[in-house]
């Protein structure tokens, strides 16, 4: 047990306790599912099963293309504007800027560096998952030449799953985790889920993904968040314990010590003058 803080016998002011280390960053736990490792593995297997089925089963892609073609025939100006806006907002550049802006606000304004890091990891995990599964499945995008009104023609083996949808799902999780326990939790959950569904529709409307692509994105992003939460809660506290005392904490402690020393000298000087 530690004794009371030392007191200056001339000023009666407690001196700074230099035996205690500066406070380490406070850990922020991410909500974790039970049996998270098994659940994450099952979700990942489901994504791979869906992707390989769509890739290898004859006629599967042709049947799905009919959905894109039907939407392509019924484009409307307002819907097109919404879909193209979502194409930019949930794209890599704007998405990265959005994550950085929110994380910076959490760190600088709210003073929660660990929470900012956790938010950034959760929000970006959807992209990481989508890129991982894209490499394995390597499914071609819908052929824009077969669409009646291709809005954003894209080619290449980047169709399964959708990066835009995966990001929107992971971002919804990240924002809900921030709002969890507050009056905004239900609003965040509903808004995030609705936004992810609208983004999924927009990818079909634009004609750059098949229905199974966007459906698998919900599974892929959920798998990434579940696995990340389990790993974060298990290993992040150990990493925080090993971090050195931040320089800002040492500076703050030194500043408090200096102020206490000046106050002590001032008190002794006043007492000497009265004598």
């Amino acid at each position: 047990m530690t004794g009371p803080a030392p007191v200056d016998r001339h000023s009666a002011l407690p001196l700074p306790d230099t035996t205690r280390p500066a406070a380490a960053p406070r850990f922020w736990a991410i909500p974790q599912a039970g049996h998270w490792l098994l659940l994450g593995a099952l979700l990942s297997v489901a994504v791979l099963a869906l992707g390989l089925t769509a890739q290898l089963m004859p006629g599967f892609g042709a049947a799905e293309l009919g959905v894109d073609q039907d939407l392509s025939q019924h484009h409307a100006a307002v819907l097109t504007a919404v879909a193209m806006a979502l194409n930019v907002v949930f794209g890599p550049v704007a998405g990265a800027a959005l994550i950085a802006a929110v994380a910076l606000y959490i760190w600088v304004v709210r003073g929660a560096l660990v929470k900012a890091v956790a938010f950034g990891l959760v929000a970006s995990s959807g992209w990481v998952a989508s890129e991982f599964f894209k490499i394995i499945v390597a499914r071609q995008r819908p052929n824009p030449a077969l669409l009646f009104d291709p809005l954003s023609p894209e080619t290449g083996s980047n169709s399964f799953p959708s990066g835009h949808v995966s990001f929107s799902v992971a971002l919804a999780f990240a924002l809900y985790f921030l709002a969890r326990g507050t009056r905004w939790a239900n609003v965040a959950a509903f808004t995030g889920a609705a936004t992810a569904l609208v983004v999924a529709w927009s990818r079909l409307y634009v004609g750059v993904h098949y229905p199974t692509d966007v459906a698998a994105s919900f599974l892929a992003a959920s798998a990434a968040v579940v696995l990340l939460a389990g790993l974060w809660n298990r290993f992040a506290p150990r990493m925080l314990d090993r971090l050195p005392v931040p320089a800002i904490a040492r500076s703050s402690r030194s500043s408090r010590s200096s102020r206490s020393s000046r106050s002590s000298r001032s008190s002794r000087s006043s007492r000497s003058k009265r004598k």
Side-chain angles (χ1 to χ4, degrees):
M1 296 179 60
T2 59
V7 178
D8 188 327
R9 55 197 179 105
H10 297 289
S11 65
L13 291 174
L15 295 177
D17 186 357
T18 57
T19 63
R20 296 181 182 179
R26 184 179 180 182
F27 175 69
W28 184 65
I30 300 175
Q32 180 180 323
H35 304 289
W36 59 271
L37 189 57
L38 177 61
L39 178 59
L42 290 175
L43 288 171
S44 300
V45 169
V47 175
L48 290 174
L50 187 58
L52 295 177
T53 299
Q55 181 77 315
L56 301 176
M57 184 176 291
F60 198 94
E64 287 195 288
L65 182 62
V67 176
D68 291 347
Q69 289 175 327
D70 184 62
L71 288 172
S72 185
Q73 291 184 76
H74 299 89
H75 284 171
V78 175
L79 296 179
T80 298
V82 172
M84 296 309 292
L86 294 174
N87 182 56
V88 175
V89 171
F90 288 90
V93 176
L98 176 61
I99 294 176
V102 176
L104 195 61
Y105 170 81
I106 297 171
W107 178 22
V108 176
V109 178
R110 307 298 296 179
L113 175 58
V114 176
K115 183 182 290 189
V117 173
F119 167 82
L121 290 175
V122 173
S124 59
S125 65
W127 272 326
V128 176
S130 68
E131 292 301 319
F132 172 78
F133 289 113
K134 281 179 180 180
I135 294 174
I136 298 176
V137 177
R139 187 186 194 186
Q140 297 288 329
R141 290 184 183 274
N143 187 350
L146 301 179
L147 300 176
F148 294 93
D149 183 22
L151 296 175
S152 181
E154 297 183 36
T155 58
S157 303
N158 299 311
S159 188
F160 184 95
S162 166
H164 284 66
V165 180
S166 296
F167 168 55
S168 67
V169 173
L171 180 63
F173 272 112
L175 293 175
Y176 170 72
F177 292 160
L178 290 179
R180 187 169 175 262
T182 71
R183 60 178 180 174
W184 300 105
N186 291 334
V187 175
F190 175 80
T191 303
T195 301
L197 289 173
V198 173
V199 173
W201 158 83
S202 73
R203 305 313 287 161
L204 301 178
Y205 184 89
V206 172
V208 293
H209 284 288
Y210 295 101
T212 49
D213 297 343
V214 298
S217 301
F218 287 87
L219 299 175
S222 297
V225 172
V226 167
L227 292 173
L228 175 64
L231 293 172
W232 170 268
N233 292 336
R234 181 166 186 174
F235 295 106
R238 303 179 188 178
M239 297 174 64
L240 286 176
D241 289 340
R242 296 175 182 175
L243 288 178
V245 177
I248 187 172
R250 290 196 299 266
S251 175
S252 176
R253 184 174 61 185
S254 176
S255 176
R256 289 195 300 269
S257 175
S258 177
R259 287 197 301 269
S260 177
S261 178
R262 287 197 301 269
S263 177
S264 175
R265 288 195 300 268
S266 176
S267 177
R268 287 197 300 269
S269 176
S270 299
R271 192 176 293 111
S272 175
K273 289 181 181 179
R274 286 197 299 268
K275 291 180 179 180

